[in-house]
Amino acid sequence: MAPVREGQSSFRQLKSVSPSLVERLVAEYRAGDSVYELQQRHGVHRNTIAKHLRDHGLQLGRQPLSTAEVHRAHELHAEGLSLNAIGRKMGRDPKTVKAVLG
């Protein structure tokens, strides 16, 4: 941790998040952006973003594959693609793909 300069607080100032930004964060998260992507794009700490998302009733973290994604994973597997290739193509972890292909 960098030394505290004279006249500087040892705590960072919290960035105020406007209601319109919160709505945008919620919409972008629902569209599939991760908390880390939102952090980079908007310059708001990930913990602040996570708090606002949870306050809007959203569950954080990767969600299980949807029914459509499961069908797509089976199609790609039938075409001979590896778990890694399917994961890259779908933007999912290969272990998640393996779990549904069982």
Side-chain angles (χ1 to χ4, degrees):
M1 179 179 244
V4 177
R5 295 185 196 135
E6 187 176 321
Q8 182 182 24
S9 170
S10 63
F11 294 99
R12 289 186 176 175
Q13 288 284 7
L14 294 178
K15 184 175 181 179
S16 179
V17 180
S18 69
S20 64
L21 179 55
V22 171
E23 292 304 319
R24 208 153 94 215
L25 293 170
V26 169
E28 291 174 11
Y29 187 78
R30 283 185 173 145
D33 291 342
S34 71
V35 171
Y36 291 98
E37 291 167 331
L38 297 175
Q39 175 186 9
Q40 280 189 320
R41 185 176 309 128
H42 298 289
V44 178
H45 195 277
R46 66 183 182 276
N47 290 340
T48 303
I49 293 170
K51 178 201 175 303
H52 287 293
L53 295 176
R54 281 191 299 272
D55 287 349
H56 276 76
L58 294 171
Q59 180 182 2
L60 302 184
R62 282 292 203 175
Q63 304 303 310
L65 295 179
S66 67
T67 304
E69 288 176 310
V70 171
H71 290 302
R72 181 71 178 138
H74 281 285
E75 290 171 359
L76 294 172
H77 188 63
E79 292 174 13
L81 270 67
S82 70
L83 295 175
N84 285 332
I86 295 169
R88 278 192 305 274
K89 196 172 206 63
M90 296 180 66
R92 294 301 199 123
D93 189 293
K95 290 182 242 168
T96 303
V97 174
K98 182 179 180 181
V100 299
L101 294 178

